[in-house]
Amino acid sequence: MKVQWTKFIIVLALYLLFLWWLKSWLGLIVIPFIYDAYISRKIRWDWWKDLENPMRMIMSWVDALVFALVAVYFINLFFFQNYVIPSSSLEKSLLTGDYLFVSKVSYGPRIPQTPLSMPLTQHTMPVINTKSYIDWPQWDYRRAPGIGKVQVNDIVVFNFPAGDTVVSEPQWQPQDYYQMCYGYGTLILEKNGLNINPDSLSPLQLRKYYETVYNAGRTYLLSQPNEYGVLMSRPADRRENYVKRCVGLPGQTLQIKDRIVYLDGKPNKEPDNVQYTYIVKLNERLPEEFIKENGITQEDLVQLNQYGYMPLTQKAYKAMLSRKDLVKSVSLNTSKTVGDIYPLNARYGWTRDNYGPVWIPAKGKSVKLTLENLPIYERPIRVYEGNDLTVTDDGKILINGKEAKEYTFKMDYYWMQGDNRHNSADSRYWGFVPEDHIVGKPIFIWWSSDPDRSGLADGVRWNRLFRMVDNIK
């Protein structure tokens, strides 16, 4: 009996320490069950052992499966989870097919906003394509203390900020709902002969114009259920997981000048493997040896064949220049027409290579609000911090029904960009990442498979296994 009491005291102490860390004392209701499991044993947890085969065998598997699911759910929620790089936005720092060990302890785990969900799913059940979580209850954002905080140039996993509203179809190609609304809305207005030059409008007129554009696009999406399905909303912790590099912290002023990120007027160090898009003209097809040596992917070659350009690191760019037998010419792609820049409902003349300056909101800090800068901060104020924001016909800004000339933020925000700078959907297109969307920090690559090759020799990137992500600068 002394052994059982010793086990009980150790387990109880660890459990209470865990609850203290989370600042969540609701878990105290579990203590009587821990006591029963070790001391009183009034509940027969292994009742299925009295059954006859084959039911006893079946229930033994069910018991093991339930325990495994609970354990995985608990570990994924508070300590770490697996994450696979799905796209090329961080190439050549992190590669498509890299599997990451993501620590939630590094920045502190979030208390789940939607605690009732199926383990190992983000938002959708496989095969049946239904929601994998229950909307009720939904808890307010809280985060347990972490080992550290997000630092400049950290690679971070976070929930997609613009994923609060999504179209249910097509599942295989998730799209940015807001980009779709403004894109389709603009086309519809042009088709109807409303060819307005936004540059000639006042800030108030511009706001009304973009409201018309957005509503036209939204109406179109709702009118096409066969193609786009229905509109769905998702809580922060059930939005798609993204991974980017943090290049701007709360309270800093960020500006991009000729592709270089400046923080508070000082240039930030570019990643060692930063990529930009180059216009490439070949004399002949690139040999396989050259492709492998310079980390050129099948996706890169498809872009080259279809559009005449490809993303290159400085190393690959110099290699191209040195091969006059293969390459006719290679020059930086300085095209500005590369999609809609954040904020979508404004005209600042910013591009992916020349952006800002923009102040990144910080918790407890205030910003003076004007019709000129409102589009930058409207989404954090309205969507992420849950305020009712309207603009009157005479140009007054109302927050929760009261005129507001400034706003004090309740959360910290971050600016995220991919290392593949000309092929990354990031903060330049959908804005700030609020702190309640931060998931965790990748620690190391535990597996890496090349989607362009197969077999153990060529299909597995053995040299990347167990590589520390912090060493990828």
Side-chain angles (χ1 to χ4, degrees):
M1 194 64 177
K2 288 182 179 180
V3 174
Q4 292 302 110
W5 272 102
T6 301
K7 291 180 180 179
F8 169 69
I9 291 171
I10 292 172
V11 171
L12 180 62
L14 292 173
Y15 184 66
L16 290 175
L17 186 64
F18 173 72
L19 294 181
W20 172 81
W21 177 48
L22 295 183
K23 301 292 190 295
S24 178
W25 301 110
L26 183 63
L28 291 173
I29 61 175
V30 177
I31 291 179
F33 297 98
I34 298 176
Y35 177 81
D36 180 78
Y38 284 96
I39 306 300
S40 60
R41 302 200 175 184
K42 299 293 184 182
I43 303 174
R44 280 211 63 197
W45 301 98
D46 56 354
W47 57 269
W48 49 268
K49 290 184 178 179
D50 294 335
L51 299 175
E52 298 290 334
N53 278 327
M55 284 303 300
R56 182 170 62 183
M57 182 183 300
I58 293 172
M59 287 306 301
S60 69
W61 281 101
V62 171
D63 182 75
L65 181 62
V66 170
F67 177 81
L69 287 174
V70 171
V72 167
Y73 178 78
F74 179 81
I75 292 170
N76 276 2
L77 210 56
F78 298 111
F79 294 99
F80 67 85
Q81 71 178 68
N82 171 57
Y83 182 82
V84 60
I85 299 295
S87 68
S88 60
S89 66
L90 271 169
E91 301 245 351
K92 296 296 190 270
S93 299
L94 292 177
L95 308 181
T96 304
D98 281 348
Y99 286 77
L100 307 177
F101 178 96
V102 177
S103 166
K104 295 190 173 181
V105 179
S106 295
Y107 305 133
R110 294 174 298 181
I111 307 303
Q113 186 174 343
T114 49
L116 301 180
S117 64
M118 178 61 67
L120 301 179
T121 63
Q122 181 60 22
H123 49 67
T124 304
M125 292 287 288
V127 182
I128 58 177
N129 285 334
T130 59
K131 286 197 304 187
S132 62
Y133 60 93
I134 299 175
D135 291 308
W136 186 92
Q138 285 199 23
W139 296 340
D140 293 335
Y141 164 67
R142 288 195 304 112
R143 185 182 295 273
I147 297 173
K149 296 183 177 181
V150 179
Q151 302 295 323
V152 173
N153 294 327
D154 276 1
I155 294 176
V156 181
V157 175
F158 56 92
N159 296 120
F160 179 40
D164 58 302
T165 304
V166 295
V167 293
S168 62
E169 299 293 340
Q171 289 285 344
W172 52 269
Q173 188 180 1
Q175 299 184 59
D176 186 326
Y177 160 76
Y178 296 99
Q179 295 273 359
M180 294 171 70
C181 283
Y182 284 104
Y184 284 128
T186 300
L187 293 175
I188 291 169
L189 263 60
E190 289 177 354
K191 184 178 180 181
N192 293 334
L194 299 176
N195 297 320
I196 300 173
N197 179 11
D199 295 328
S200 65
L201 302 179
S202 69
L204 184 58
Q205 291 172 329
L206 193 63
R207 180 178 181 84
K208 297 296 183 183
Y209 166 74
Y210 277 117
E211 284 180 355
T212 303
V213 171
Y214 172 80
N215 289 330
R218 177 182 170 85
T219 300
Y220 172 75
L221 291 178
L222 291 172
S223 69
Q224 304 291 323
N226 292 334
E227 185 172 357
Y228 299 109
V230 298
L231 295 186
M232 302 186 302
S233 62
R234 287 176 180 159
D237 62 342
R238 294 298 156 193
R239 297 169 193 170
E240 295 286 351
N241 285 329
Y242 274 38
V243 59
K244 309 285 182 186
R245 190 181 296 274
C246 176
V247 299
L249 296 177
Q252 292 182 321
T253 297
L254 176 140
Q255 186 173 12
I256 303 172
K257 294 189 288 187
D258 294 329
R259 302 176 304 281
I260 305 300
V261 174
Y262 286 77
L263 297 174
D264 297 328
K266 298 179 181 179
N268 186 34
K269 177 187 178 297
E270 284 197 301
D272 293 340
N273 290 311
V274 68
Q275 286 197 137
Y276 295 105
T277 298
Y278 290 82
I279 300 170
V280 179
K281 295 181 180 179
L282 300 178
N283 291 319
E284 58 180 86
R285 185 176 179 180
L286 296 175
E288 183 65 23
E289 182 180 351
F290 184 88
I291 290 172
K292 291 184 70 173
E293 284 179 359
N294 292 282
I296 296 172
T297 66
Q298 195 63 40
E299 181 181 346
D300 298 338
L301 294 174
V302 168
Q303 292 184 57
L304 177 62
N305 294 332
Q306 289 186 351
Y307 308 109
Y309 62 75
M310 66 190 304
L312 299 172
T313 62
Q314 271 297 300
K315 176 187 173 183
Y317 169 66
K318 291 177 180 177
M320 285 276 192
L321 288 179
S322 67
R323 293 298 301 269
K324 301 296 184 182
D325 57 323
L326 299 175
V327 182
K328 182 182 299 182
S329 65
V330 52
S331 59
L332 185 67
N333 180 14
T334 57
S335 171
K336 296 179 181 179
T337 56
V338 289
D340 295 318
I341 297 294
Y342 178 86
L344 300 174
N345 59 340
R347 298 278 286 198
Y348 296 124
W350 298 344
T351 69
R352 62 182 181 181
D353 291 338
N354 289 278
Y355 189 100
V358 59
W359 179 74
I360 304 172
K363 184 177 181 179
K365 301 295 183 181
S366 301
V367 64
K368 291 183 178 180
L369 296 178
T370 65
L371 289 178
E372 286 78 8
N373 72 3
L374 183 61
I376 299 173
Y377 301 109
E378 180 174 1
R379 184 167 177 80
I381 294 170
R382 185 205 298 272
V383 179
Y384 304 142
E385 302 199 356
N387 296 285
D388 177 46
L389 188 153
T390 57
V391 176
T392 64
D393 291 338
D394 58 354
K396 292 182 180 179
I397 300 170
L398 304 181
I399 297 180
N400 299 324
K402 297 180 180 180
E403 185 176 0
K405 296 186 181 299
E406 66 175 22
Y407 180 79
T408 302
F409 291 94
K410 302 172 187 175
M411 290 192 293
D412 284 328
Y413 291 80
Y414 302 88
W415 194 265
M416 307 289 184
Q417 288 187 200
D419 292 355
N420 193 355
R421 292 288 164 85
H422 284 172
N423 192 25
S424 172
D426 51 37
S427 286
R428 294 169 294 177
Y429 300 94
W430 34 252
F432 309 109
V433 176
E435 65 174 81
D436 66 346
H437 284 56
I438 301 295
V439 174
K441 180 179 182 179
I443 302 299
F444 62 84
I445 302 166
W446 66 268
W447 183 256
S448 183
S449 56
D450 190 336
D452 297 334
R453 296 175 176 85
S454 60
L456 290 176
D458 294 327
V460 180
R461 305 184 185 108
W462 297 101
N463 62 324
R464 296 187 65 80
L465 267 56
F466 301 105
R467 184 177 179 183
M468 303 302 291
V469 174
D470 263 353
N471 294 333
I472 302 174
K473 299 297 186 181

